Amino acid sequence: ESGAQARLTVGCRNLSQETVRVVIRASARPRGQSRGRGARGPREGQQWAKTVELGARQVAGEFDLGQQSFEDPMLWFPLGHGEQNLYELRVSVSLAQTPSEVSHQVSTTFGFRSLESAIDPRTRSRQFTVNGVPIFVRGGNYIVPDAMLRCDRERCWTEVRHHAEMGLNMIRLWGGAGVPYAEFYEACDFFGIMVWSEFWITGDCDGRGATKDSPESNPDWPLDHQLFLECACDVIKKLRNHPSVVLWCGGNEQVPCKELDDGLRALVGEKGSLDDSRPYVSGSLWGGFGQGGG
């Protein structure tokens, strides 16, 4: 028997011209009751509540609602190793003077799983262990499938399902592309496909791997480092609840310049960062991949 801890932070925006006191409520419960490895019976959910004050037009990045314990949680496993158990989180906000009237509400899903990743000294390749189970990775690359971004829910789910039906258990998101739609990650959670997520650095357009026939460019690309890291921060917050995401990578066949690499390491992979539950490697050819022996 084991337990898990879940900490909830919520962002709020006051659209009115007046200071308001609001009540934020949240609840998390298992999404269905699966059977199989990692699911041993019905589970109870947990609830959070907090009253906060927002100034006129104030945008608050994060309110910490605290931590809750989940006894013997239902676990999420990669494809072929157990069930893909998920929890549904519902968050609502109400004015303090009328707490029964919901002003706004959102819902999302998350999962519980442990993740360990290290380089095997024998093979010099990166190994992944989920919930104590070593995973033999079988994966492929995923690039924007449509130049016009015509990727609705049905298409996202179909493409991920095809990966699962081929027996693949990981998708690498190529660094030269954008961030897929939310439906893509929802499908990966559902089908048990692990995600290797790269930031937007690629060796064919940043100058450090340029040939004499290539146009010259600045090795510090992209030049607006603050904007790059702000975008990375938004993406990390957007994706960190998905149990399918198992790796952050600085870029494709290249590493970010030192300032960006240090900035990304401060955001992910290090204790106390926005996401310290997953490893970060600077580039796709290093850290146990490609030239690293993987």
Side-chain angles (χ1 to χ4, degrees):
E1 299 297 315
S2 60
Q5 304 291 322
R7 178 172 294 278
L8 179 62
T9 58
V10 177
C12 287
R13 175 182 296 175
N14 179 11
L15 300 178
S16 75
Q17 299 289 349
E18 301 176 352
T19 298
V20 296
R21 294 181 70 248
V22 298
V23 180
I24 304 172
R25 292 188 177 89
S27 63
R29 295 186 179 281
R31 192 177 188 179
Q33 295 289 350
S34 303
R35 289 288 181 180
R37 187 177 199 169
R40 296 181 291 278
R43 302 295 193 278
E44 294 299 325
Q46 288 289 6
Q47 297 184 357
W48 292 260
K50 187 171 187 176
T51 300
V52 301
E53 185 174 284
L54 290 168
R57 311 295 293 182
Q58 180 183 353
V59 177
E62 289 189 352
F63 284 115
D64 188 349
L65 272 66
Q67 188 168 273
Q68 295 283 6
S69 298
F70 289 75
E71 294 294 331
D72 195 22
M74 301 169 68
L75 301 179
W76 182 94
F77 282 86
L79 177 69
H81 294 275
E83 297 290 329
Q84 288 73 55
N85 295 299
L86 296 171
Y87 283 70
E88 182 175 17
L89 175 69
R90 297 183 179 183
V91 182
S92 67
V93 61
S94 307
L95 292 175
Q97 63 267 32
T98 55
S100 62
E101 299 179 11
V102 174
S103 173
H104 187 68
Q105 61 183 358
V106 294
S107 65
T108 188
T109 58
F110 68 95
F112 289 107
R113 55 107 179 94
S114 66
L115 173 66
E116 299 173 76
S117 182
I119 298 177
D120 189 321
R122 299 167 301 171
T123 63
R124 294 184 296 119
S125 62
R126 182 164 290 276
Q127 307 293 305
F128 292 89
T129 300
V130 179
N131 301 326
V133 180
I135 308 298
F136 182 80
V137 174
R138 304 178 301 276
N141 288 318
Y142 185 87
I143 302 174
V144 177
D146 192 306
M148 301 301 292
L149 301 180
R150 294 168 294 192
C151 303
D152 58 15
R153 177 182 175 83
E154 181 179 1
R155 179 167 183 169
C156 287
W157 277 67
T158 299
E159 290 173 346
V160 175
R161 176 172 56 81
H162 287 167
H163 277 74
E165 290 175 345
M166 288 188 290
L168 302 181
N169 59 16
M170 179 178 279
I171 291 179
R172 174 198 172 214
L173 300 179
W174 177 62
V179 179
Y181 292 144
E183 289 80 4
F184 171 87
Y185 298 94
E186 292 171 2
C188 288
D189 288 345
F190 181 85
F191 288 107
I193 306 297
M194 297 179 291
V195 178
W196 160 344
S197 185
E198 287 184 359
F199 294 104
W200 319 284
I201 300 289
T202 180
D204 55 8
C205 65
D206 68 2
R208 280 167 288 162
T211 68
K212 63 180 180 179
D213 299 321
S214 301
E216 293 185 5
S217 59
N218 192 313
D220 288 332
W221 180 93
L223 301 183
D224 193 335
H225 293 179
Q226 180 178 350
L227 178 60
F228 183 95
L229 292 174
E230 287 176 357
C231 292
C233 180
D234 287 344
V235 169
I236 294 162
K237 289 181 178 179
K238 175 183 177 181
L239 301 183
R240 62 185 176 182
N241 292 336
H242 290 282
S244 56
V245 179
V246 298
L247 178 73
W248 298 108
C249 181
N252 166 63
E253 299 180 8
Q254 191 52 274
V255 298
C257 65
K258 186 178 186 309
E259 183 178 357
L260 288 178
D261 194 37
D262 290 345
L264 290 173
R265 287 186 181 279
L267 292 175
V268 293
E270 295 185 353
K271 187 173 180 58
S273 62
L274 287 177
D275 181 13
D276 57 9
S277 67
R278 300 170 176 89
Y280 168 80
V281 298
S282 296
S284 63
L285 293 180
W286 297 272
F289 304 106
Q291 295 175 5

